[in-house]
């Protein structure tokens, strides 16, 4: 900072001496313009030497990476949609005394932002599957509509118990 102030003071003194000695009658306006430009350039040079904000290499070497948050947004929307739909299905099935072990929901978000649900799988234990699978599928279709594929399956543990792979 001391160097900046010394440069500015030196420029001011030189400008004052030149104005005092220079002929002002003939070229007064031009000399004042030149002296003012000299003073301004000296101040700018002094400041830019101390604080490197005039350095263009920082602009050229700037981090130009692009953060694409659309994938995270799609995942968040997918998770939230599945959670909400799963909650509604569980609630409707619980009213009828049906409780699947798991509910899988296959959701797709297209490039234009449209959300589509391709399939819903209701997974049951063996006893629950035999008693309530068809009814659970019908109730789920009442919630989701008929365009979405809804299936009921045995859990993998129940299939192993039966010897079915």
């Amino acid at each position: 900072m001391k160097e900046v102030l010394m440069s500015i003071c030196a420029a001011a003194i030189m400008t004052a001496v030149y104005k005092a000695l220079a002929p002002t009658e003939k070229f007064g306006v031009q000399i004042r313009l030149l002296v003012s430009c000299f003073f301004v350039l000296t101040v700018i040079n002094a400041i830019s030497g101390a604080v490197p904000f005039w350095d263009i290499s920082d602009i050229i070497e700037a981090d130009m990476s692009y953060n694409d948050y659309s994938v995270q947004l799609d995942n968040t929307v997918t998770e939230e949609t599945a959670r909400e739909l799963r909650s509604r299905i569980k609630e409707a099935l619980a009213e009828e005394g049906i409780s699947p072990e798991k509910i899988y929901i296959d959701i797709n978000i297209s490039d234009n932002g449209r959300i589509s649900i391709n399939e819903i799988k209701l997974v049951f234990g063996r006893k629950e599957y035999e008693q309530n699978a068809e009814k659970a599928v019908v109730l789920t279709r009442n919630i989701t509509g008929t365009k979405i594929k809804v299936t009921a399956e045995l859990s993998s543990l129940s299939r192993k118990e039966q010897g079915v792979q």
Side-chain angles (χ1 to χ4, degrees):
M1 187 67 168
K2 187 176 182 180
E3 293 173 7
V4 173
L5 292 176
M6 290 298 287
S7 296
I8 293 172
C9 289
I13 291 170
M14 289 174 56
T15 303
V17 169
Y18 185 73
K19 279 186 177 180
L21 296 176
T24 56
E25 303 155 1
K26 208 173 193 185
F27 302 104
V29 176
Q30 289 87 356
I31 291 174
R32 273 188 256 132
L33 177 65
L34 288 173
V35 169
S36 298
C37 289
F38 169 75
F39 182 73
V40 169
L41 287 174
T42 304
V43 169
I44 290 173
N45 192 24
I47 292 174
S48 68
V51 182
F53 63 86
W54 293 99
D55 189 12
I56 197 161
S57 64
D58 290 342
I59 297 170
I60 294 171
E61 296 173 9
D63 182 20
M64 301 301 281
S65 64
Y66 173 72
N67 293 326
D68 185 10
Y69 294 108
S70 62
V71 173
Q72 291 175 339
L73 179 65
D74 286 353
N75 289 341
T76 303
V77 169
T78 300
E79 290 170 9
E80 187 63 32
T81 304
R83 184 179 14 234
E84 182 66 28
L85 184 57
R86 191 174 292 117
S87 171
R88 288 186 184 177
I89 292 170
K90 279 184 180 181
E91 196 175 288
L93 294 178
E95 288 176 3
E96 297 294 323
I98 303 171
S99 59
E101 289 180 6
K102 294 190 181 218
I103 300 174
Y104 294 107
I105 302 174
D106 181 24
I107 296 177
N108 182 37
I109 299 179
S110 64
D111 290 339
N112 62 4
R114 296 184 73 189
I115 299 172
S116 61
I117 300 170
N118 300 327
E119 182 178 6
I120 298 173
K121 290 183 184 179
L122 307 171
V123 180
F124 294 98
R126 186 173 48 92
K127 183 179 178 185
E128 187 79 19
Y129 179 80
E130 291 171 358
Q131 292 176 351
N132 297 319
E134 290 179 30
K135 187 176 180 182
V137 168
V138 171
L139 289 171
T140 303
R141 280 194 183 130
N142 289 341
I143 295 169
T144 61
T146 58
K147 292 183 180 181
I148 298 172
K149 180 181 176 183
V150 179
T151 59
E153 296 181 357
L154 277 173
S155 67
S156 58
L157 288 175
S158 297
R159 278 190 249 150
K160 285 180 183 177
E161 289 173 0
Q162 286 184 334
V164 178
Q165 297 269 340

